[in-house]
């Protein structure tokens, strides 16, 4: 089993922190975590895969130990697609696979459809395309986003007395086991006066000013031609309803769907069945 290695990737616009597992000569997987998570999301899954893949898990901009976007800018969803390609370029990867959870899976699925010449395989956990909004929500979302950035005073960061307190809070808020939260929090906090604060950019919690409508996502998924495996937790979380995800699955020509009992972070809570499903699919393909 390969030991984890810390990496630092200098992108043209900011620095990304990352973790790597496995022999660099093996097939490449770039791993993308979920919203307000970090690269430690893959700390338990990657060691089970690294005899078959060279895995690099990045902290997305504003997350974990990576740099934050400059003052005055927004965290647009589409910018993560460019960040992902820039990370691959910094690694010297022309063609590679993607492993994405939640937000990372949404980014991975859209990028694979847009750039099939760069992506050779796709593993998705609890995501197939991004969250969407109805047309009649467009103005409401835009007004709320602008108000939060320009009309309200910035909130003071919550200070946790200990790493253990931060982990308990994260577990309660994010449907994570305490053990999984401890893994994620160790990479997601930084020292501050009186204790610890989250290292993620507070702007990540503000309302997104723009979202795709469902028809746009379906149109992209229609053109997703990369071999894809989608792993879903059972029962489905409320933000990923069965009817919506099944409608999206039906639009992808080459997709293998596996449903595993667990919660949204099933790859961190119980990685063995997730790894087994991924390796079985890889062996077939």
């Amino acid at each position: 089993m390969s030991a984890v290695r810390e990496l630092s990737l200098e992108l043209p616009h900011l620095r990304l922190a990352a973790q790597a597992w496995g022999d660099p000569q093996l097939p490449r997987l770039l791993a993308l975590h979920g919203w307000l998570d970090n690269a430690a999301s893959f700390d338990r899954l990657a060691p089970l895969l690294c005899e078959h893949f060279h895995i690099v898990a990045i902290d997305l901009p504003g997350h974990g130990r990576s740099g934050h976007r400059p003052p005055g800018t927004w965290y647009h969803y589409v910018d993560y697609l460019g960040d992902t390609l820039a990370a691959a370029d910094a690694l010297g990867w022309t063609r590679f696979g993607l492993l994405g959870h939640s937000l990372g899976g949404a980014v991975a699925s859209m990028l694979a459809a847009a750039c099939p010449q760069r992506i050779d395989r796709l593993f998705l956990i609890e995501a197939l395309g991004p969250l969407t909004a109805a047309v009649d929500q467009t103005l409401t979302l835009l007004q709320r986003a602008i108000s939060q950035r320009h009309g309200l005073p910035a909130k003071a960061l919550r200070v946790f007395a200990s790493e253990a307190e931060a982990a308990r809070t994260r577990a309660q808020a994010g449907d994570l086991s305490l053990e999984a939260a401890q893994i994620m929090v160790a990479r997601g906090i930084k020292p501050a006066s009186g204790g610890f604060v989250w290292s993620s950019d507070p702007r990540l919690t503000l309302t997104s000013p723009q979202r795709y409508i469902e028809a746009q996502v379906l149109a992209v998924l229609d053109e997703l031609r990369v071999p894809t495996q989608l792993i879903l937790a059972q029962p489905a979380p409320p933000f990923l309803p069965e009817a919506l995800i099944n409608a999206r699955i039906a639009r992808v020509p080459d997709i293998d769907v596996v449903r595993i009992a667990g919660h949204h972070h099933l790859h961190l809570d119980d990685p063995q069945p997730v790894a087994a499903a991924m390796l079985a699919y890889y062996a077939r393909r």
Side-chain angles (χ1 to χ4, degrees), residues 2-7 18-22 46 50 54-57 91 93:
S2 171
V4 63
R5 306 181 297 279
E6 284 289 331
L7 301 179
Q19 299 188 120
W21 297 260
C50 64
H54 174 44
I55 303 164
V56 174
L91 290 164
W93 294 2

Side-chain angles (χ1 to χ4, degrees), residues 11 30-31 76 100 179 186-187 221 238 245 259 273:
L11 276 52
L30 189 61
H76 290 301
E179 182 183 5
R187 193 175 179 88
L221 294 179
I245 199 68
R259 290 178 167 86

Side-chain angles (χ1 to χ4, degrees), residues 53-227:
F53 297 100
H54 174 44
I55 303 164
V56 174
I58 62 173
D59 290 331
L60 290 167
H63 294 77
R65 298 174 182 172
S66 285
H68 296 183
R69 299 207 190 279
T73 60
W74 302 62
Y75 278 86
H76 290 301
Y77 161 81
V78 72
D79 288 336
Y80 289 125
L81 278 68
D83 298 325
T84 301
L85 288 177
D89 291 342
L91 290 164
W93 294 2
T94 301
R95 192 161 169 80
F96 54 97
L98 286 170
L99 164 61
H101 169 250
S102 198
L103 168 63
V107 171
S109 51
M110 299 293 272
L111 182 59
C115 299
Q117 72 279 10
R118 298 289 304 267
I119 313 302
D120 58 17
R121 59 178 58 90
L122 190 57
F123 293 105
L124 304 174
I125 302 172
E126 285 282 276
L128 180 60
L131 296 175
T132 55
V135 172
D136 60 8
Q137 292 181 289
T138 302
L139 181 58
T140 299
L141 289 174
L142 185 59
Q143 289 173 329
R144 187 183 305 155
I146 291 174
S147 173
Q148 289 174 351
R149 286 163 176 78
H150 300 285
L152 300 175
K155 293 181 180 179
L157 292 176
R158 177 177 176 180
V159 178
F160 299 96
S162 65
E163 186 174 319
E165 181 188 354
R168 287 193 298 271
T169 301
R170 181 69 178 84
Q172 293 165 1
D175 193 26
L176 258 105
S177 68
L178 181 59
E179 182 183 5
Q182 289 168 337
I183 293 171
M184 202 94 74
V185 164
R187 193 175 179 88
I189 57 174
K190 60 183 180 181
S193 177
F196 300 89
V197 296
W198 302 125
S199 61
S200 55
D201 192 328
R203 291 176 293 172
L204 291 167
T205 64
L206 303 182
T207 298
S208 173
Q210 295 176 311
R211 282 194 174 173
Y212 293 106
I213 61 171
E214 190 64 19
Q216 290 175 300
V217 172
L218 293 176
V220 172
L221 294 179
D222 283 342
E223 302 303 322
L224 179 55
R225 296 291 188 264
V226 174

Side-chain angles (χ1 to χ4, degrees), residues 30 37 105 111 117 160 172 199 215 256 258 260 267 272 274 283:
L30 189 61
D37 292 343
L111 182 59
Q117 72 279 10
F160 299 96
Q172 293 165 1
S199 61
D256 176 74
V258 179
I260 297 173
H267 65 299
Q272 283 83 4
V274 176

